[in-house]
């Protein structure tokens, strides 16, 4: 008896997130394979970007499924809700990753500034 992955994963929110991560990760891997072939990025950069995109896509997919289920409604309302929630989740993920990377790249402020001050500066 064959195993049917998509219907199995669609039975739960974490499963839907895994499915989204697989699709998003595959897209990121394809993009990064091309960039690697063109020598525009390193192996490490490709691996990091693929990982970030995979996780972000999985989280966005899971959140969009939760939002669409919570709102209910017809097909158009459900699709619209899923789209808006997915975009918002992916945007928040990407922005959060950018802030973390920026902080890691510049190190702690020379004056020992608090994390709240750094976040406030980034959001301004």
């Amino acid at each position: 008896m064959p195993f049917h992955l998509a219907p199995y994963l669609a039975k739960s929110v974490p499963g839907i997130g895994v499915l989204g991560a697989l699709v998003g990760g595959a897209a990121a891997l394809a993009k990064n394979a091309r960039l690697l072939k063109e020598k525009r990025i390193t192996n490490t950069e490709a691996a990091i970007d693929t990982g970030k995109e995979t996780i972000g896509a999985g989280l966005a997919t899971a959140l969009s499924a939760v939002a669409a289920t919570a709102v209910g409604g017809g097909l158009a309302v459900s699709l619209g809700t899923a789209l808006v929630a997915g975009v918002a989740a992916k945007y928040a993920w990407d922005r959060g990753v950018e802030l973390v990377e920026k902080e890691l790249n510049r190190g702690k402020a020379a004056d020992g500034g608090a994390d709240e001050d750094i976040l406030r500066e980034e959001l301004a």
Side-chain angles (χ1 to χ4, degrees):
M1 179 185 214
F3 178 71
H4 300 284
L5 181 65
Y8 175 76
L9 291 175
K11 291 179 183 179
S12 69
V13 171
I16 291 170
V18 168
L19 190 57
L22 287 170
V23 173
L29 188 56
K31 172 192 76 173
N32 288 320
R34 180 182 50 81
L35 294 174
L36 274 169
K37 185 177 180 184
E38 296 171 355
K39 301 195 183 311
R40 293 173 52 193
I41 60 173
T42 66
N43 288 337
T44 301
E45 291 168 332
I48 290 170
D49 183 69
T50 300
K52 290 186 305 189
E53 291 298 318
T54 299
I55 294 168
L59 291 172
T61 304
L63 183 65
S64 70
V66 168
T69 301
V71 169
L75 177 62
V77 171
S78 294
L79 285 173
T81 301
L83 176 66
V84 169
V87 169
K90 185 64 168 72
Y91 179 86
W93 170 260
D94 289 347
R95 184 68 179 128
V97 167
E98 287 174 13
L99 289 173
V100 169
E101 287 176 337
K102 196 173 201 178
E103 177 62 24
L104 289 173
N105 287 334
R106 80 173 174 180
K108 291 289 181 188
D111 64 352
D115 290 340
E116 293 83 15
D117 295 334
I118 294 167
L119 181 59
R120 197 172 301 110
E121 176 185 285
E122 293 299 327
L123 294 175

